[in-house]
Amino acid sequence: MTALRRLIPAVVLTAIGLTALQPIDDADFWWLLRGGRYIVETRTFPTTDPFSATAQGSPWLNHAWGFELAAYAVYALTGTTGVIVLQGLAAAATFAVLYRLLRREDLGAGWALALLSLGALATHGFWSPRPQLVTYLVLAVFAAVLADYQAGRRNHLWWLPILTALWANLHAGFLAGPALMALCAMGELVGWALGDETGRNGGLGRARVLGAWTAIGALASLANPFHYHAVLFPFQVMGERLSQAWITEWASPPFSHPQVLVLELMLGLMLLLSLGTMRPVPWRDLVVLVVLVHLALQAVRNTPLLVIVGTPIIGRAVASCIAARWPALPELGRRVAAVGAVGLVLSACGLVAGSRRPDAIWSKLRPAFGVSDTLPTGAVDFLRREGRRGTLWNEYVWGGYLIWHLYPELRVTIDGRMAVYGPARFTEHLMVSEVQPGWQDVLARQDVTAAVVRSGSALVGALRAAGWVVRYEDRVATVLDPPERRG
């Protein structure tokens, strides 16, 4: 029985990794892949855009260059299968770090795995092959190191600046590390000022130490090719209102979505557990949690950050509640609680899958490989066969995929690198895609030689009415030529 109990955590973590094995549907992955290939082929580090027709030569702060090289190496050796396995390994490793932390917080294995399962369901679909994978894993390590220090178990804070320096060359999300350190320092300071139990027991001293390491971590983040520009870049992106209003991942979470309901379930669990703990939830946890809840309510893309950092906080509340109430429960009450925890996880599975039927849940969460059928694979094959060259008007979400397959013969008009294109070019793209007044003038200025448009969209009808010729069409994409290419 002991051997079986030791095996169960590995089985659950493996299952979490397997649910992250999903077909590649993120178009940004493909321009990241092309960026890595470009660095290898040219042996140069691009600082201006080489891929597009509309922004060619514009400054490109390629903050994810390290991830691009790693992704291209994996793809070159193992293809899309290896890339998808990589995202599964990242998910399993992230939750493995959280599991070890929860166990150090004196939470039982069963309760820890139940909590991790809820977190995995709340983040299902976020494990796509993008630099965010690095941020999720490293942020979990940050949370573990900081929790160990604040609990007095061990002090490995010196690791955090080293990780920050590496992180700064892989994803712009590296600022989450020093920000979490600063929040922990602030939480310790608030606890000390308000006199809670953890704050009285060395809170001011811990705040000073964490503040110092935050400053060191911020300095370490400058160890990248762009120096302070890389630090300013995330703030510039967050300040761009047009793209945030249009791009889905920057929108507030849709509260009717099943995964958001799972997230609400976790936060509601935190509130209920706080009433049954042996002592009040410390301010140092509440300060961090409040800020992360705010960020998650502001943008969908912040949901995994809340889950990763919030899971240990909820775990501590669970451990404290169990220590306070569990011994007083009769045997029947303990069994009911355990069955309730399992039922909670199964209900969350049903929510995410949109069904209570086991077969539907399996269909939603089962591992799958390949490339999503929402990408314009047929249109790409057609353009390749024709040997097309020139400028390609394209849907925003397809830009990266088209760059990977068609550059340099065809250059896109836009892709996911919003900081490269800027508000003016993005506004022009919206004029065309939404058939706003002046859209034909935009296409004329861009000297477009072909367009790859979502089949059935209003733009397809507008282009046909303007004399554009359909050269290829399937259920995903339609390729049209301008009037002068007729015949």
Side-chain angles (χ1 to χ4, degrees):
M1 190 65 178
T2 302
L4 180 60
R5 286 181 177 177
R6 291 176 179 174
L7 184 62
I8 289 175
V11 171
V12 173
L13 291 170
T14 301
I16 289 174
L18 290 174
T19 62
L21 303 181
Q22 299 295 321
I24 299 174
D25 64 353
D26 192 321
D28 282 352
F29 162 72
W30 301 99
W31 68 254
L32 290 161
L33 198 61
R34 193 61 182 86
R37 178 179 171 184
Y38 184 90
I39 295 172
V40 171
E41 289 178 341
T42 64
R43 288 184 168 82
T44 59
F45 186 83
T47 56
T48 59
D49 171 44
F51 300 134
S52 77
T54 54
Q56 186 175 7
S58 297
W60 179 20
L61 198 151
N62 189 16
H63 59 85
W65 68 273
F67 180 85
E68 291 169 10
L69 283 174
Y72 179 62
V74 172
Y75 182 87
L77 292 172
T78 60
T80 57
T81 299
V83 171
I84 293 170
V85 169
L86 178 66
Q87 68 192 37
L89 290 174
T94 300
F95 283 100
V97 171
L98 294 178
Y99 175 74
R100 290 190 64 186
L101 174 56
L102 290 173
R103 296 291 284 134
R104 290 198 297 273
E105 299 285 1
D106 294 325
L107 187 61
W111 298 104
L113 293 173
L115 190 56
L116 289 185
S117 299
L118 288 177
L121 291 167
T123 57
H124 181 68
F126 285 94
W127 302 96
S128 57
R130 297 174 66 183
Q132 281 85 339
L133 293 179
V134 176
T135 289
Y136 301 156
L137 177 56
V138 179
L139 188 63
V141 175
F142 263 68
V145 171
L146 289 166
D148 283 342
Y149 170 72
Q150 291 180 288
R153 288 189 289 265
R154 55 189 179 186
N155 184 351
H156 285 165
L157 295 177
W158 58 272
W159 268 106
L160 302 186
I162 298 173
L163 287 175
T164 301
L166 176 64
W167 194 356
N169 293 279
L170 296 167
H171 184 221
F174 68 89
L175 283 182
L180 180 59
M181 296 168 69
L183 277 177
C184 289
M186 187 183 303
E188 293 284 4
L189 193 60
V190 171
W192 170 79
L194 296 181
D196 71 9
E197 183 177 342
T198 57
R200 288 194 303 269
N201 297 327
L204 183 59
R206 288 191 297 271
R208 288 172 177 167
V209 172
L210 289 170
W213 281 106
T214 299
I216 296 171
L219 289 173
S221 70
L222 300 176
N224 67 83
F226 305 100
H227 310 304
Y228 72 92
H229 294 288
V231 176
L232 297 177
F233 178 76
F235 297 102
Q236 294 169 353
V237 172
M238 289 186 290
E240 178 49 63
R241 298 301 179 189
L242 178 61
S243 60
Q244 288 189 21
W246 196 82
I247 299 174
T248 304
E249 66 179 11
W250 283 106
S252 296
F255 292 100
S256 60
H257 193 279
Q259 280 182 270
V260 179
L261 294 178
V262 175
L263 190 62
E264 289 179 0
L265 187 66
M266 294 180 69
L267 295 176
L269 184 64
M270 174 68 188
L271 292 174
L272 290 174
L273 290 169
S274 64
L275 299 175
T277 56
M278 295 177 63
R279 57 183 65 90
V281 178
W283 278 103
R284 68 188 187 193
D285 283 349
L286 291 177
V287 167
V288 173
L289 193 62
V290 166
V291 173
L292 285 166
V293 168
H294 169 73
L295 292 175
L297 293 177
Q298 290 291 311
V300 173
R301 64 182 291 148
N302 295 328
T303 297
L305 307 186
L306 172 59
V307 171
I308 290 167
V309 179
T311 294
I313 296 175
I314 299 174
R316 283 191 283 274
V318 173
S320 182
C321 187
I322 289 174
R325 307 299 177 188
W326 196 257
L329 283 178
E331 184 64 27
L332 178 61
R334 296 180 185 184
R335 291 184 179 182
V336 169
V339 171
V342 174
L344 196 64
V345 173
L346 294 178
S347 298
C349 289
L351 277 174
V352 172
S355 175
R356 297 179 181 178
R357 295 167 47 200
D359 59 331
I361 295 173
W362 167 247
S363 178
K364 177 73 174 182
L365 301 179
R366 68 180 176 84
F369 293 87
V371 177
S372 171
D373 58 6
T374 61
L375 295 173
T377 54
V380 164
D381 290 341
F382 168 78
L383 291 167
R384 275 178 161 175
R385 287 196 304 270
E386 292 234 322
R388 295 293 190 88
R389 295 178 178 273
T391 299
L392 185 67
W393 191 93
N394 57 278
E395 300 281 356
Y396 169 81
V397 294
W398 292 341
Y401 186 75
L402 297 171
I403 285 174
W404 170 252
H405 287 286
L406 301 176
Y407 173 83
E409 287 77 17
L410 282 166
R411 295 176 183 265
V412 300
T413 50
I414 200 165
D415 61 81
R417 298 169 301 149
M418 283 305 306
V420 171
Y421 292 91
R425 295 187 183 96
F426 191 58
T427 299
E428 287 191 336
H429 172 77
L430 291 179
M431 288 176 64
V432 177
S433 64
E434 297 179 358
V435 199
Q436 298 175 0
W439 66 274
Q440 295 189 65
D441 296 332
V442 173
L443 291 176
R445 286 197 303 272
Q446 293 175 345
D447 192 24
V448 170
T449 56
V452 180
V453 185
R454 196 180 303 277
S455 294
S457 66
L459 182 56
V460 171
L463 289 170
R464 296 184 71 168
W468 287 59
V469 182
V470 175
R471 295 297 308 279
Y472 173 86
E473 187 174 17
D474 59 26
R475 67 177 185 82
V476 175
T478 301
V479 178
L480 302 97
D481 284 347
E484 60 268 22
R485 288 185 61 92
R486 187 191 300 269

